[in-house]
Amino acid sequence: MKIKLNFFKAIIFKESLIFVLLMTIIPLSVFSQKVKPYDEVGVFLGVGYYNGEINPTAPLYKPKLAFGLNLRHNFNERFAISFQASKCKLEGTDKDFNDEYRRIRNASFENDVTELAFSGEYNFLPLIKGSEYQFVTPYIAAGLGVCVASFPGEGLRACIPFGVGVKLAPKKGFTLAFEWKYRKLFSDMLDQINEDSYSTELGNASKQKSFLGNDDWYSFLGVVLSFDISKGQRSGITCPAYQ
């Protein structure tokens, strides 16, 4: 039985590795094609935090440094698609909370998370870089990604990033975005609390470790600084007078 289990774990690991490679190669190949006038490359810097059994609702709980690479293609002044590779270390401990339930459970975890995700973006206002009045807009974003972390017995997991932000482009050549995105994670194992069991060994206080079917979440809050990588010669324009 143990041999069979190890065999299936090996298959899951190989499939997970192939999926991660595809999620990396596909966007790079797309963005390496003929560059359009609005293509951007940038960096993400901010903080990440976790919601789950240990921290059900509190925002910005134990924020940790989050950073990554961001690629964006603007179809027009309203619509864009982006690819982001992000990394963050998430953690939590029941000792941070005063209720008896969590003090008895006394769970804690640390988990290094790497995320690869595509998102569609919609600007509520037309964004025209360098414009006197139309250089700022709020926007919403949503997409699909994969989370690579320590999920005991599960391998990597899919996630749905979605959130809001504000874009600023007061000058041509760059865009500054402030964004807050939640990640719906299809796993209850991010915090590594993997038992749905009870105990009365401490008197009347039950010791439930996790909630069955209550998947974990995590969020990134930060800024994306993107620079235009398209020049006149890349968009097919080579004559300075025409440009």
Side-chain angles (χ1 to χ4, degrees):
M1 181 67 179
K2 186 176 181 180
I3 296 176
K4 290 184 178 180
L5 184 60
N6 291 334
F7 174 75
F8 284 114
K9 284 184 177 180
I11 292 177
I12 293 173
F13 176 78
K14 289 180 181 179
E15 291 180 347
S16 300
L17 183 60
I18 292 172
F19 188 64
V20 170
L21 291 174
L22 288 175
M23 287 290 291
T24 305
I25 294 171
I26 291 174
L28 291 178
S29 64
V30 170
F31 280 91
S32 66
Q33 302 300 316
K34 185 176 180 181
V35 181
K36 302 299 188 296
Y38 298 104
D39 286 344
E40 304 172 6
V41 60
V43 293
F44 165 75
L45 184 64
V47 296
Y49 66 95
Y50 137 91
N51 290 110
E53 272 73 35
I54 293 177
N55 174 44
T57 58
L60 295 174
Y61 167 71
K62 282 188 174 296
K64 297 298 179 182
L65 175 67
F67 59 93
L69 171 69
N70 193 83
L71 303 175
R72 180 187 292 126
H73 175 69
N74 296 294
F75 295 101
N76 51 45
E77 293 86 359
R78 294 272 192 175
F79 295 96
I81 186 172
S82 67
F83 168 77
Q84 192 172 93
S86 309
K87 189 172 180 61
C88 182
K89 182 177 182 179
L90 303 175
E91 64 177 58
T93 175
D94 280 335
K95 293 180 180 179
D96 292 333
F97 301 90
N98 295 322
D99 61 280
E100 182 182 13
Y101 167 68
R102 276 175 280 196
R103 286 202 311 270
I104 293 174
R105 183 175 59 184
N106 195 31
S108 63
F109 81 98
E110 292 183 353
N111 208 335
D112 290 313
V113 173
T114 300
E115 179 192 275
L116 305 172
F118 286 99
S119 293
E121 300 175 354
Y122 173 72
N123 301 330
F124 286 99
L125 302 172
L127 182 66
I128 303 176
K129 298 181 181 182
S131 170
E132 185 176 359
Y133 302 107
Q134 295 177 297
F135 65 91
V136 59
T137 178
Y139 70 97
I140 56 174
L144 182 64
V146 60
C147 175
V148 184
S150 175
F151 300 108
E154 292 188 358
L156 80 163
R157 304 297 292 178
C159 65
I160 297 179
F162 63 93
V164 297
V166 176
K167 292 179 184 176
L168 299 168
K171 300 290 184 181
K172 293 182 179 180
F174 77 94
T175 302
L176 183 64
F178 300 88
E179 64 178 31
W180 190 351
K181 287 183 181 178
Y182 276 85
R183 272 72 174 176
K184 164 64 176 175
L185 187 62
F186 294 95
S187 173
D188 195 25
M189 302 287 284
L190 181 65
D191 49 24
Q192 301 178 8
I193 302 176
N194 58 0
E195 295 182 21
D196 194 64
S197 60
Y198 298 83
S199 173
T200 57
E201 61 185 12
L202 298 176
N204 294 327
S206 296
K207 187 179 180 182
Q208 182 184 20
K209 290 191 173 183
S210 68
F211 296 99
L212 186 65
N214 183 24
D215 291 338
D216 297 326
W217 297 65
Y218 63 96
S219 304
F220 290 158
L221 172 65
V223 297
V224 179
L225 178 60
S226 300
F227 297 92
D228 295 350
I229 59 175
S230 60
K231 301 296 182 182
Q233 65 271 19
R234 290 195 176 187
S235 59
I237 303 173
T238 57
C239 176
Y242 179 78
Q243 186 177 3

